Amino acid sequence: MIRLLTRLALASGFSLAISLRAETAASDAPLQSDPLTVEAPRLDADAAGTTSVRLDDIALPLTNSLGHLSGRVANLHINTGGAGSYGDLFAIRGLTNTPYFSDPSVTVYFDDIPLGSSFTYPTNLFGFGRATIHRGPQGTAFGRAGSGGVLVFSSTEPTSDASHGELRASIGNFDSYAFAVNARSTRSDSVDAAVSASFAARDGFITNTTLNQRVDDFESAAASARIRFRPTDTAELSFQLLGSRLRNGAQPLVPVGGPRYTVDRTAEGTTDIDFIALAAKAEFQTPIGRLTATTSYTDFELDPYSNQLVLPPSLDSISSLEQSGWNEEIRLISSPNTSFAWSVGVWLSKQETAGAINRSLTGLFPIEISSYNLDTETAALFGELTLLHTSPWTVTLGLRAERVKRDFDRREVVPAQSRYTSSRTFEALLPKLSATYALTDHTTASASVSLGSKPGGWSAYTAYPSLARFSAEETLAFEAGLDTDLARETVNLAVRAFYYDIDNYQIERSFTAADYLVVNAPRARSIGAEFEASWRPIPALTFAATLGVTEITLREFTDPFTGTSYNGNRAPYVPVYDANLSAVYRDPTGWFIGAEAAFAGKTYYDESEASVFAERSRVTLNARLGFDAPHWRVALFAENLSDENHYTLIIPGVGHAVPAAPRTYGLEAMLKW
């Protein structure tokens, strides 16, 4: 009843705001090039839940990856599977990504390119200078919107003074080496361009003592490019390319409780991933606002992914996965300096996913041979209306109407010839109401209430067709925060609290060795808080600190295989807390030094809270030291200085886990122009 009343109240408020807007004449003033905002944010972390991170603050660009964001952003945690993004689990404020069979809670944009499932997320971030996380349901602001948030990676922008570029090379332990180039043209009134490319390789961390070979060798190549044309003062056309190629060894899986960096098995596998994405964007300044239309295409292919697990008995697994999608996102954003600021958008997407798996007992016979196809068509209309010039208040009303149609086809050869087909349609009406209040010129309070949704679907890797189907997840989110500047703006801080009431919480994991599926917990609740701060006592020295705490509780959940009730237990994949402390000193002479400590609280990987499938609290230390001259730079870097042993992912159904990388270190050199 509360959820229904909230939906009706917010929808009514949005309709009223639209009526008010109709009585206000539109302005012909020039349009902003940024998304709908009242003013540029003063903080890298604000009261509304947005945090922006420079990717080169601590970690060197050649080692930047999605996993490096864990701990740097409060309440964002990434459980990395070590096979590109295949199998990675993202958790933010207790909402998690189901990596294979449902939509992600945290969606990702690379500039103008929205990505589909989380297994398609590129892990190499070279060429992207900043990552911004927008927490909470974002259906009224983004075309591809996550119920937990949206993560946006932004390229380093060309400047109008001169062209810029850099050439990098690095070497390190485990015979690692990397090369990268990044070049940006001068930004002119008519055109600008940027291009980057990188290659990195290393020996594996894990040794197979039976075969006397490294298990998880790594080789990655990536490239990105963007060119923008401005044929007139009111038009801009841009074209973007993003691609990556991984040729790795087997996923670094080791038996839980055994040695972290050695295994004993008769065969090893491979992980081959190819990804490409294209986008074309047209932007026009019109008398009523800024109109943008972005067409994008993504194509992901994992073939093969193979490994051997010693359970016992030994199990060989070979699988493939492909996903391609077309997206269209159209936005119209009002001109600034009007009584009302507004934006409306249309999102259209068509996505095709195909997967296949062949599992067999080593040297004996297959136990599963199956394949599946999943076709998804999504259409959404979304928008926001912000009341301006009513200082100290700003109130924003938003609404998203979404329809998702899915067709599923699964074919099984072993253990029995069978076929299962089904079609479903999911519709959602997702309102949002947010308000900010300027307490002073340097302090802002924010609060919001919104609804988020993840469509349902089917799990393809279960021997029980009756368990394949899962329902849509719905989140009622209450959020509040405060940000401020202190000590003549040398101290910036943001504090927030949230309460999420969740229906049909989607849990995806391996429940048994043969069954990997999504199961709904009928009711769940996530409560937590965040603290993010920075302090610059002198221009050359910056301190930063983050802390996130999440209590995610399964208020109602029964194991589908054992019938055991886990009501009141903690949901998997979400650490009790995460924190980060960092310091960077850049001397005017060119010397610089940076260090960080990343903390993560205890993390369970199943709903029983079994200690064998839990990772204890831990801290990892990273550092770099170097000299930065006008045309070159050299630096020493080290990660996991304390050689902290822990798992980055545990798979309970097969009793295996992915160990974190041991201590790594190296030297990087760079030429600049």
Side-chain angles (χ1 to χ4, degrees):
M1 179 62 69
I2 293 176
R3 190 181 297 269
L4 176 61
L5 291 176
T6 301
R7 190 190 300 269
L8 292 174
L10 293 182
S12 300
F14 183 81
S15 301
L16 176 60
I18 292 293
S19 300
L20 292 173
R21 174 63 188 97
E23 300 174 3
T24 304
S27 170
D28 295 334
L31 293 171
Q32 302 179 48
S33 59
D34 295 327
L36 179 66
T37 55
V38 178
E39 60 179 9
R42 300 188 306 272
L43 303 174
D44 284 338
D46 68 13
T50 300
T51 301
S52 185
V53 176
R54 281 184 54 188
L55 295 178
D56 62 348
D57 280 346
I58 295 296
L60 294 172
L62 283 181
T63 64
N64 272 335
S65 66
L66 286 174
H68 279 90
L69 289 177
S70 278
R72 300 192 67 193
V73 176
N75 274 330
L76 173 66
H77 186 70
I78 303 175
N79 299 275
T80 54
S85 286
Y86 185 70
D88 284 2
L89 285 153
F90 294 69
I92 186 163
R93 290 180 168 179
L95 300 179
T96 61
N97 278 23
T98 55
Y100 308 126
F101 299 129
S102 89
D103 289 7
S105 294
V106 182
T107 56
V108 169
Y109 276 73
F110 279 85
D111 289 330
D112 296 325
I113 299 176
L115 304 187
S117 301
S118 57
F119 55 76
T120 69
Y121 297 171
T123 56
N124 190 316
L125 305 179
F126 183 75
F128 293 89
R130 185 170 291 274
T132 303
I133 181 70
H134 304 265
R135 297 175 179 85
Q138 298 294 324
T140 64
F142 290 86
R144 171 152 282 152
S147 57
V150 175
L151 181 58
V152 180
F153 292 95
S154 303
S155 300
T156 303
E157 286 289 331
T159 61
S160 58
D161 56 349
S163 60
H164 297 274
E166 53 195 48
L167 178 65
R168 300 172 181 264
S170 72
I171 58 173
N173 60 334
F174 295 98
D175 290 331
S176 65
Y177 61 94
F179 306 96
V181 61
N182 185 23
R184 302 180 299 278
S185 72
T186 303
R187 178 186 172 93
S188 69
D189 293 336
S190 59
V191 66
D192 65 67
V195 62
S196 65
S198 64
F199 178 85
R202 61 157 174 79
D203 289 343
F205 302 133
I206 300 171
T207 301
N208 185 323
T209 56
T210 299
L211 302 177
N212 193 29
Q213 73 177 60
R214 296 284 187 172
V215 170
D216 57 325
D217 290 349
F218 172 87
E219 181 181 296
S220 170
S224 63
R226 184 179 66 181
I227 184 169
R228 294 183 292 199
F229 300 98
R230 302 175 187 87
T232 69
D233 292 339
T234 60
E236 180 178 279
L237 305 176
S238 63
F239 302 91
Q240 186 177 358
L241 166 69
L242 179 67
S244 63
R245 180 180 186 270
L246 271 68
R247 292 295 182 267
N248 297 353
Q251 185 178 13
L253 292 169
V254 299
V256 172
R260 297 289 178 120
Y261 301 112
T262 60
V263 293
D264 181 9
R265 51 199 184 213
T266 60
E268 286 304 335
T270 59
T271 306
D272 292 354
I273 298 176
D274 294 288
F275 172 80
I276 189 169
L278 306 167
K281 179 180 179 181
E283 183 173 343
F284 304 97
Q285 181 178 313
T286 73
I288 62 172
R290 177 168 57 91
L291 175 66
T292 62
T294 305
T295 302
S296 60
Y297 172 77
T298 60
D299 186 84
F300 169 90
E301 183 176 358
L302 169 69
D303 189 14
Y305 165 79
S306 62
N307 57 27
Q308 183 183 97
L309 301 177
V310 181
L311 299 181
S314 295
L315 178 68
D316 291 327
S317 177
I318 302 174
S319 61
S320 62
L321 183 62
E322 299 179 22
Q323 185 179 92
S324 61
W326 285 97
N327 310 299
E328 185 70 32
E329 187 167 355
I330 301 173
R331 301 285 304 277
L332 180 61
I333 301 177
S334 67
S335 301
N337 304 319
T338 62
S339 297
F340 291 91
W342 51 267
S343 71
V344 294
V346 176
W347 168 257
L348 301 171
S349 175
K350 185 175 182 179
Q351 190 167 276
E352 298 178 354
T353 305
I357 192 165
N358 186 326
R359 294 174 178 165
S360 62
L361 298 179
T362 302
L364 296 177
F365 50 83
I367 61 172
E368 179 184 357
I369 300 176
S370 65
S371 61
Y372 76 94
N373 291 88
L374 175 65
D375 296 335
T376 302
E377 294 183 1
T378 304
L381 177 66
F382 59 97
E384 292 184 343
L385 181 68
T386 300
L387 181 63
L388 301 179
H389 307 310
T390 58
S391 181
W393 284 98
T394 300
V395 177
T396 299
L397 300 169
L399 186 65
R400 180 186 183 94
E402 180 179 83
R403 183 178 186 271
V404 179
K405 181 179 182 299
R406 285 189 160 145
D407 298 311
F408 181 71
D409 183 4
R410 182 180 187 269
R411 299 161 299 281
E412 183 176 277
V413 177
V414 175
Q417 291 273 358
S418 65
R419 185 172 184 177
Y420 174 78
T421 61
S422 183
S423 296
R424 302 171 69 187
T425 298
F426 303 91
E427 296 179 343
L429 189 65
L430 307 173
K432 182 174 183 177
L433 171 64
S434 63
T436 62
Y437 183 82
L439 297 170
T440 69
D441 291 340
H442 299 281
T443 304
T444 301
S446 175
S448 69
V449 56
S450 59
L451 288 174
S453 178
K454 285 202 305 181
W458 304 265
S459 303
Y461 298 148
T462 176
Y464 300 91
S466 61
L467 297 178
R469 181 169 171 160
F470 58 91
S471 301
E473 176 183 296
E474 287 194 344
T475 301
L476 174 59
F478 298 92
E479 301 162 305
L482 182 77
D483 64 46
T484 188
D485 299 329
L486 302 171
R488 298 182 179 179
E489 300 187 6
T490 61
V491 176
N492 307 126
L493 63 88
V495 293
R496 313 179 198 95
F498 61 90
Y499 178 99
Y500 290 174
D501 185 66
I502 310 164
D503 285 349
N504 293 318
Y505 183 79
Q506 295 173 359
I507 300 172
E508 180 175 332
R509 72 173 183 88
S510 60
F511 284 84
T512 71
D515 292 283
Y516 188 97
L517 68 157
V518 180
V519 177
N520 291 111
R523 294 191 304 151
R525 178 181 61 203
S526 183
I527 305 173
E530 296 150 3
F531 170 84
E532 295 179 314
S534 64
W535 176 39
R536 180 167 290 183
I538 58 176
L541 180 62
T542 301
F543 296 97
T546 69
L547 173 63
V549 179
T550 300
E551 183 63 32
I552 172 69
T553 305
L554 301 175
R555 303 178 69 184
E556 183 181 340
F557 180 72
T558 301
D559 187 291
F561 293 94
T562 67
T564 304
S565 172
Y566 293 118
N567 296 354
N569 282 18
R570 188 176 181 86
Y573 312 130
V574 183
V576 174
Y577 68 88
D578 61 74
N580 185 282
L581 297 174
S582 67
V584 178
Y585 178 76
R586 302 179 185 273
D587 191 82
T589 62
W591 289 100
F592 63 88
I593 184 171
E596 73 169 350
F599 304 81
K602 190 171 186 177
T603 307
Y604 294 103
Y605 287 87
D606 76 342
E607 307 76 37
S608 71
E609 300 184 352
S611 59
V612 67
F613 299 132
E615 185 53 73
R616 58 180 173 78
S617 301
R618 60 192 181 274
V619 57
T620 55
L621 305 175
N622 308 314
R624 66 172 178 169
L625 169 68
F627 187 85
D628 195 0
H631 296 292
W632 58 272
R633 187 174 79 174
V634 63
L636 296 168
F637 61 90
E639 298 185 355
N640 194 9
L641 274 168
S642 59
D643 207 18
E644 175 75 19
N645 290 326
H646 64 278
Y647 296 126
T648 61
L649 182 66
I650 299 176
I651 307 175
V654 294
H656 278 62
V658 177
R663 182 189 299 115
T664 57
Y665 51 85
L667 171 69
E668 184 196 56
M670 178 175 69
L671 297 177
K672 299 182 289 183
W673 65 87

